[in-house]
Amino acid sequence: PQAGHPHAYPPAGAVYPPPHGPPAGQMYPPPQGPPGYYPPQPGHGYGATAPPAPYGATGGDQWGAMALFNQIQQQQRMEMEGWFAAADRNKTGKLTANELSNMQFGNQRFGMETARLLVKVFDTDRSGSIEFVEYAALHKFITSMQAAFYQFDNDRNNSLDAKEVEQALSQGGFFISQNTVLNLVKKFSGNAQTTQAPRLSFEQFIQLSAHLGVLRSSFQKMDTDHDGWVHMSLDMVVDMISYL
């Protein structure tokens, strides 16, 4: 941003993060939990070594928790361990939606509903909480979608219209038809019953992304041959939707 314009967007083609990000080379955004570092407790499972992957990190699942976790540099993992441990106040080795809502991403704290959806993205056992590897993968998921949001906010008004949402979702790995995107934007903007062109704020976009992330995780569990197609009974459809 230019001097005197602390909230200006970066020029076209500039590298994200937006204003007030960390120095070059550091990861954005650093979630901020309570101050201080609490070392991982024995048996809590959020040390530097990742547990076996139950998410299909091989076989084409590029969006599983382990696949995303393996893209994170060791130094970034160590930073994340500190953030995770600081937020894990009762030292269970897991984070709930309530604990996640107390953290900040890009100088923004998400509401409880957004945090609930975010936890579900990688909560494949439906326990209502995520362990360290899942949290690190979630962090990478959020930063990827955040970068896509600002990249395609073409008119620089801190919101996206349906076309911009479609572009941002594609950048984040969600290839959804234009009509489906429009329906989703109406749903998450709260303007489904109006004739006004719907737009999504940043948090609404993250909610939509998390919603799609949950659906993708559920779909991939059933797509055992990783061909992008599954045969589903009505019961399977209802079970998948009921978890949203």
Side-chain angles (χ1 to χ4, degrees):
Q2 303 301 314
H5 298 278
H7 300 295
Y9 276 83
V15 177
Y16 187 77
H20 312 303
Q26 292 188 18
M27 187 172 186
Y28 185 88
Q32 300 168 1
Y37 175 78
Y38 301 88
Q41 302 299 308
H44 279 188
Y46 56 88
T49 303
Y55 310 100
T58 59
D61 182 8
Q62 61 178 315
W63 300 106
M66 281 304 303
L68 291 176
F69 181 82
N70 288 334
Q71 297 173 28
I72 303 172
Q73 298 297 317
Q74 184 64 31
Q75 181 179 354
Q76 295 172 339
R77 294 182 190 180
M78 294 175 64
E79 290 179 320
M80 290 180 182
E81 287 175 19
W83 302 330
F84 181 93
D88 180 21
R89 294 185 177 184
N90 56 5
K91 301 297 172 284
T92 62
K94 298 180 179 181
L95 292 182
T96 63
N98 184 58
E99 290 171 319
L100 192 69
S101 70
N102 290 322
M103 305 178 76
Q104 292 185 3
F105 293 83
N107 297 321
Q108 177 166 339
R109 182 172 293 170
F110 293 130
M112 188 62 189
E113 177 60 20
T114 305
R116 184 186 67 82
L117 284 169
L118 287 169
V119 165
K120 287 186 174 183
V121 174
F122 294 111
D123 179 21
T124 55
D125 62 358
R126 301 188 180 186
S127 66
S129 59
I130 51 176
E131 298 182 357
F132 172 69
V133 170
E134 298 165 324
Y135 159 76
L138 177 60
H139 187 282
K140 186 166 185 63
F141 171 80
I142 293 173
T143 55
S144 296
M145 300 313 299
Q146 186 176 43
F149 178 92
Y150 286 102
Q151 179 179 346
F152 292 100
D153 182 13
N154 298 316
D155 46 12
R156 301 297 188 252
N157 63 357
N158 209 33
S159 66
L160 301 183
D161 61 24
K163 181 60 178 178
E164 292 168 336
V165 169
E166 182 182 0
Q167 294 172 321
L169 290 176
S170 295
Q171 179 73 15
F174 295 105
F175 302 101
I176 312 295
S177 71
Q178 188 176 47
N179 188 61
T180 300
V181 169
L182 179 58
N183 289 332
L184 287 169
V185 171
K186 288 179 179 179
K187 171 183 172 68
F188 283 91
S189 68
N191 292 332
Q193 305 301 321
T194 69
T195 58
Q196 183 180 2
R199 302 186 69 90
L200 295 184
S201 67
F202 173 62
E203 181 158 2
Q204 289 170 334
F205 175 73
I206 291 296
Q207 286 183 352
L208 169 55
S209 301
H211 177 83
L212 292 176
V214 175
L215 286 174
R216 180 167 61 189
S217 295
S218 298
F219 181 87
Q220 288 180 329
K221 286 178 65 178
M222 295 179 285
D223 183 20
T224 55
D225 56 0
H226 304 288
D227 65 352
W229 294 88
V230 296
H231 296 283
M232 300 177 66
S233 66
L234 176 60
D235 183 72
M236 295 169 67
V237 173
V238 172
D239 179 69
M240 182 172 66
I241 295 176
S242 68
Y243 186 55
L244 295 175

